[in-house]
Amino acid sequence: MKPKSFKWSVAEGVGRILLDRPATLNSLTFEVYGELRDLFRHVATQREVRVVTITGSGKGFCSGGDREEIIAQLFGKTSEEVYKFARMTCDLVEAMRGCPKPVIASINGACVGAGAIIAMASDFRYAVPEAKFGFVFTKVGISGADMGATFLLPRIVGWTKATELLMTGDVFPAEEALRIGFLNAIVPAADLEKKTSEVAAKLAAGPAFGLATTKTLLNNQLGASLADALEAEAQAQALCMLHPDFKTAYEAARAKKEPRFQ
């Protein structure tokens, strides 16, 4: 993958996405949406990429869909074309959740609209104290039910808070995002890159098969009954116990060493 609309690099098992439109706080265009979707689909099958991080250049993480590049362009499109765009934005979330690799959102500033959705669809979220968040869709005259928000957000922050955030579209600070469970941690701006790299390195050194299975089961259990969840987890653990990583961890523990997963 060689995306044109953002920067992508891979080193030591970590794939790094840098949204790179700082003049508009890394707003999204049709091209960015499409290339992000395609990248996550591609990464899902790449063994050399064990973790993905995503951040923004400049003072923002992502300000959502670009007003002129997307919103203004939609007014001249047919209903079929508008639906095709809406479906593509949802496909990005599906690709992120379907990618078996852990995804870390490194939130360096404004994180609103589709930017908040990208953070929501990630597995880990770390933000600077100055970051602002908002599911601002109703503010621009559309539904708060956008890109999987009504499915995922209540499971992250609870039904009552999700209803408030999606209906009001209010912007809220990092402290509130941490309090309601949207963030894993708030990190000083000077330490955000280091913290993200440390978590990424830890995950990259972990058992890729076990991590992928964990993410897959987390996705699958969103709508499962307890009985279905227990059966799925029994099958998943049996598969993991048959995988070489299980024996690697056992032998490392006996030798009192850190496991080296392949």
Side-chain angles (χ1 to χ4, degrees):
M1 287 293 295
K2 295 182 179 180
K4 299 178 181 178
S5 59
F6 55 85
K7 294 180 180 178
W8 167 248
S9 61
V10 180
E12 298 181 339
V14 180
R16 293 177 171 83
I17 296 170
L18 176 66
L19 301 176
D20 196 27
R21 305 183 73 234
T24 59
L25 297 179
N26 303 308
S27 61
L28 304 174
T29 65
F30 293 116
E31 185 179 28
V32 178
Y33 268 118
E35 289 197 321
L36 282 173
R37 173 203 60 199
D38 293 346
L39 178 68
F40 278 104
R41 287 175 175 174
H42 175 74
V43 164
T45 64
Q46 302 305 300
R47 295 185 64 181
E48 68 272 18
V49 180
R50 300 170 70 91
V51 183
V52 177
T53 68
I54 181 167
T55 192
S57 61
K59 297 181 179 180
F61 175 73
C62 177
S63 60
D66 190 278
R67 182 182 293 110
E68 300 303 322
E69 294 285 339
I70 289 183
I71 296 176
Q73 303 302 316
L74 291 175
F75 296 125
K77 295 187 178 296
T78 66
S79 58
E80 182 178 357
E81 289 171 330
V82 171
Y83 169 75
K84 185 177 180 181
F85 164 69
R87 181 65 250 185
M88 178 176 69
T89 68
C90 292
D91 288 345
L92 168 56
V93 172
E94 190 171 36
M96 290 182 68
R97 294 307 312 161
C99 177
K101 319 300 172 75
V103 179
I104 305 170
S106 184
I107 304 164
N108 57 307
C111 180
V112 298
I117 297 287
I118 289 173
M120 178 191 74
S122 300
D123 301 295
F124 296 81
R125 290 171 289 276
Y126 299 97
V128 298
E130 301 79 16
K132 301 292 184 182
F133 301 85
F135 297 86
V136 296
F137 308 106
T138 58
K139 297 278 191 183
V140 297
I142 58 176
S143 170
D146 193 67
M147 297 175 69
T150 56
F151 184 82
L152 290 173
L153 192 60
R155 290 164 168 81
I156 297 172
V157 304
W159 184 275
T160 300
K161 193 63 181 181
T163 300
E164 175 190 324
L165 297 178
L166 295 179
M167 286 193 174
T168 66
D170 288 345
V171 173
F172 52 100
E175 291 84 355
E176 175 72 357
L178 179 64
R179 187 187 70 80
I180 64 178
F182 189 73
L183 292 177
N184 292 84
I186 295 174
V187 183
D191 299 327
L192 181 63
E193 184 176 353
K194 178 183 177 182
K195 175 65 175 179
T196 303
S197 296
E198 287 175 348
V199 176
K202 180 178 181 179
L203 292 167
F209 186 72
L211 291 173
T213 302
T214 302
K215 182 168 180 176
T216 298
L217 268 290
L218 281 169
N219 286 333
N220 291 349
Q221 312 309 23
L222 289 172
S225 67
L226 176 59
D228 289 340
L230 291 171
E231 176 58 23
E233 291 191 5
Q235 293 183 22
Q237 285 294 55
L239 286 172
C240 287
M241 290 171 185
L242 293 169
H243 193 277
D245 284 346
F246 189 50
K247 189 174 182 180
T248 296
Y250 167 75
E251 292 176 343
R254 289 193 67 186
K256 297 182 179 181
K257 297 179 179 179
E258 286 295 316
R260 294 176 61 88
F261 297 110
Q262 300 301 316

